[in-house]
Amino acid sequence: QVQLVESGGGSVQAGGSLRLSCAVSGTPINSWSVAWFRQIPGKEREGVAGIDSRGGTTTYADAVKGRFTISKDNAKRTLYLQMNTLKPEDTGIYYCAGFRRSSAGTNPTNYEYQYWGQGTQVTVSS
């Protein structure tokens, strides 16, 4: 049984940093494309950052470019999202996702994923 478990969320002041982790159990992730998504109140879920398994290309949403960094440790079967210079508009529930379900597209933040974590809350106060 494949499980993804996020951790590292919390409350910070604007300008602060958090690092989210997503531990995967039940399968290796070496060949996985992976991504982080977020659900902000009143908005649709959006892809924040992703890694394509084909060459390890990383992609970021414009709103987080230069502030967030996604990484994947295959040996530890863990994804990370380093979030710096956080803003109040980054507040939301963050989800990790892995194992691409379709072959269409080249942007990992737009892929359909088979497996999802349960989400972790990030709150940024001004």
Side-chain angles (χ1 to χ4, degrees):
Q1 182 180 0
V2 177
Q3 286 189 313
L4 281 65
V5 179
E6 298 105 335
S7 60
S11 297
V12 295
Q13 290 191 326
S17 298
L18 284 173
R19 188 175 84 151
L20 305 183
S21 298
C22 173
V24 181
S25 61
T27 185
I29 63 171
N30 304 53
S31 63
W32 278 21
S33 291
V34 295
W36 287 92
F37 291 79
R38 67 185 180 187
Q39 182 76 56
I40 295 175
K43 295 187 177 182
E44 292 187 358
R45 186 179 65 192
E46 63 173 339
V48 172
I51 301 176
D52 192 307
S53 62
R54 300 168 297 185
T57 305
T58 56
T59 303
Y60 296 92
D62 288 342
V64 306
K65 277 181 183 176
R67 300 189 297 122
F68 289 12
T69 303
I70 185 173
S71 60
K72 178 163 74 92
D73 187 326
N74 291 329
K76 294 183 178 180
R77 300 187 185 183
T78 302
L79 323 178
Y80 301 99
L81 185 67
Q82 178 67 45
M83 306 186 294
N84 298 328
T85 319
L86 282 161
K87 303 176 181 180
E89 52 264 43
D90 293 319
T91 294
I93 301 174
Y94 284 69
Y95 301 88
C96 61
F99 191 76
R100 184 182 184 186
R101 292 178 64 179
S102 67
S103 60
T106 59
N107 184 340
T109 62
N110 291 334
Y111 295 163
E112 284 187 31
Y113 288 96
Q114 179 72 29
Y115 302 110
W116 292 81
Q118 82 287 353
T120 186
Q121 177 71 43
V122 171
T123 303
V124 185
S125 59
S126 57

